[in-house]
Amino acid sequence: MRLDVVSIFPDYLAPLDLSLIGKARRDGIIDVRVHDLRDFTHDRHRTVDDTPYGGGAGMVMKPQPWSEALTHVLGSADEASGPAPILVVPGPGGQRFDQARARELAEAPWLAFACGRYEGIDERVYEWAAERMEVRVLSLGDYVLNGGEVAVLAMTEAIVRLLPGVVGNAESLVEESHEGGLLEYPIYTKPSAWTDAAGVTREVPEVLLGGNHEAIATWRHEQRLARTAARRPDLLAAAATAQGPDGLSVLDHAVATPADAGEILTLQKACRLEMVAEPQHWSGAPAETVDDVRADLASWTTHTFRSEGRLVASVRVRRDPVDPSTWQIGRLMVVPDLQGRGLERALLERAEALGPADITRYRLSTGADQQPLLRMSKKAGYRTAGPGEGPGTVDLTKRRAAPPSSR
Ligand code: ADE
């Protein structure tokens, strides 16, 4: 994997030479190239920032050094790297960087990181870059760092350790926090009874000493659930969905009423923002209002799924008014933080199952540019039928499998 990092503090990235990441570099698993943004300035002071238009505190990074630095990075493409990297811009205003994102980015042959400083980078750099490569703005968490360098260290470590050959024991990648959406179970080593300086003795849980692997696996799973419930209850809905289609059943299901229109619109906007963050998924469709959503609730049956009261997913269904043997499915939406964990497929299967017995065909409408949803529905047996009713939408159809014949 190729990794390029552009920063005004190249020395900040020195830890990439240490430990397992340094070894991966020496073993040729990763090729890390760090670039000094100031090398792409042309004035005596090597200026990279200026005051913000419209006023306000702090300084903004200028577009010119960034476009030249990124052009330099793009110009070093080779056969192994592919034509362009995915450009990651760490920032507190980005999508959450989590284990699922790390796994996704570990698949890319080439990643470039743009480390912002000060108040951030001139917005036109994002537009410029998005015309040349995929751009992801990613945040480590809901707090503000002074710049992107520390975030790059954290993200590269999370990504690179997933590459084959970096972590010696591949099994240790499976049984750890956030894999499967749960926190890790407690771990112990020898001695089985440890006495501290105050004379207090603590024992290792009995089940771990007995060698009954099934009992150990059950105990560990229970510990992961208990620990996740205690420390990160927000992960539980996500974890449930990660367990497969049954994940949907842990959510509270209801049919939407006009009172839900505001929340459904918020969910639509969240899904839309998710697409803006990934410009290639942006459909450019006009924004809807609460009244539009309310009107749609009258002509469709919209199903909502909630976790602890929060609307996390919804889908709408109805019998096709023109062809009554067709079951229409649309507006399949999952909140961005739970996307890509199997919930979309479960939602689609639930929507299909809601079709009455005489239905022979499903028709799914989605944004023509919603690549993950299109991929998922094709895996579920759907084929593109043609442009949909709304602007920028596409219709996919699937024949309903005949029920097992009754004897
Ligand atoms: N840069 C500044 N704050 C950040 C954060 N929370 N995550 C990633 N990059 C950042």
Side-chain angles (χ1 to χ4, degrees):
M1 172 186 269
R2 223 346 248 285
L3 297 165
D4 284 79
V5 186
V6 184
S7 161
I8 56 167
F9 294 120
D11 292 347
Y12 232 121
L13 286 311
L16 292 178
D17 266 336
L18 303 176
S19 186
L20 286 180
I21 307 301
K23 183 166 182 301
R25 230 172 147 170
R26 289 187 291 282
D27 290 347
I29 298 173
I30 52 169
D31 170 7
V32 181
R33 305 183 194 182
V34 179
H35 312 268
D36 187 344
L37 183 68
R38 291 196 198 275
D39 289 346
F40 301 91
T41 57
H42 301 291
D43 63 317
R44 205 153 51 87
H45 301 291
R46 305 190 2 122
T47 312
V48 293
D49 61 336
D50 211 329
T51 53
Y53 274 117
M59 301 290 272
V60 177
M61 292 188 113
K62 291 154 65 69
Q64 170 272 321
W66 275 112
S67 69
E68 287 192 28
L70 295 173
T71 299
H72 172 76
V73 170
L74 282 166
S76 65
D78 58 37
E79 217 166 282
S81 69
I86 296 179
L87 179 67
V88 176
V89 189
Q95 277 178 341
R96 178 66 65 88
F97 177 78
D98 57 12
Q99 192 65 19
R101 301 269 169 215
R103 254 183 269 121
E104 192 190 332
L105 292 174
E107 301 287 324
W110 189 7
L111 299 175
F113 294 88
C115 300
R117 282 263 149 188
Y118 315 114
E119 293 306 304
I121 304 173
D122 188 302
E123 191 62 27
R124 291 167 293 181
V125 174
Y126 296 87
E127 291 164 22
W128 179 93
E131 286 164 11
R132 289 159 178 82
M133 55 201 135
E134 185 176 338
V135 179
R136 302 275 187 93
V137 184
L138 295 177
S139 170
L140 286 190
D142 295 340
Y143 47 81
V144 180
L145 301 168
N146 283 337
E149 288 79 3
V150 167
V152 168
L153 291 176
M155 290 179 193
T156 48
E157 182 152 321
I159 294 164
V160 170
R161 66 193 295 282
L162 298 176
L163 300 178
V166 175
V167 171
N169 179 1
E171 265 176 37
S172 62
L173 293 178
V174 177
E175 300 235 328
E176 62 188 1
S177 288
H178 299 294
E179 288 297 343
L182 294 174
L183 302 184
E184 199 181 12
Y185 50 77
I187 51 170
Y188 302 86
T189 186
K190 295 178 196 68
S192 61
W194 165 61
T195 307
D196 69 13
V200 178
T201 297
R202 283 161 226 266
E203 313 260 355
V204 170
E206 183 100 38
V207 62
L208 298 179
L209 307 174
N212 178 341
H213 296 296
E214 210 180 301
I216 292 173
T218 305
W219 179 85
R220 284 181 167 165
H221 186 65
E222 284 165 6
Q223 292 290 318
R224 296 187 79 189
L225 282 171
R227 195 167 252 202
T228 309
R231 296 182 186 171
R232 294 289 307 277
D234 56 302
L235 292 179
L236 278 181
T241 65
Q243 315 292 318
D246 284 354
L248 202 60
S249 60
V250 305
L251 301 175
D252 298 320
H253 171 218
V255 170
T257 68
D260 294 309
E263 274 178 290
I264 292 172
L265 185 65
T266 305
L267 179 60
Q268 270 172 220
K269 284 186 175 160
C271 292
R272 185 182 290 262
L273 276 180
E274 172 83 2
M275 288 177 231
V276 176
E278 296 179 23
Q280 74 279 18
H281 296 160
W282 170 237
S283 69
E288 285 194 312
T289 65
V290 174
D291 286 338
D292 296 330
V293 176
R294 226 175 263 134
D296 282 348
L297 288 178
S299 51
W300 292 79
T301 307
T302 299
H303 293 262
T304 59
F305 296 85
R306 293 174 183 273
S307 167
E308 293 172 3
R310 175 190 180 213
L311 181 66
V312 294
S314 99
V315 64
R316 67 185 192 182
V317 291
R318 71 176 177 192
R319 196 185 277 281
D320 187 334
V322 184
D323 169 11
S325 64
T326 294
W327 190 238
Q328 283 185 292
I329 303 172
R331 289 289 157 84
L332 196 151
M333 298 186 289
V334 174
V335 275
D337 53 302
L338 296 186
Q339 285 176 7
R341 300 167 191 262
L343 196 50
E344 294 88 342
R345 176 74 179 257
L347 205 53
L348 180 59
E349 284 172 10
R350 180 69 72 92
E352 291 175 353
L354 288 164
D358 60 327
I359 288 294
T360 58
R361 205 169 71 114
Y362 303 117
R363 194 165 85 235
L364 171 69
S365 301
T366 180
D369 43 11
Q370 296 207 18
Q371 295 305 333
L373 217 58
L374 291 173
R375 272 197 300 275
M376 180 280 287
S377 48
K378 289 197 171 147
K379 269 197 203 146
Y382 283 79
R383 293 291 163 260
T384 309
E389 274 171 33
T393 65
V394 64
D395 278 358
L396 299 108
T397 57
K398 173 174 140 178
R399 287 209 70 76
R400 186 182 234 182
S405 56
S406 50
R407 274 185 287 164

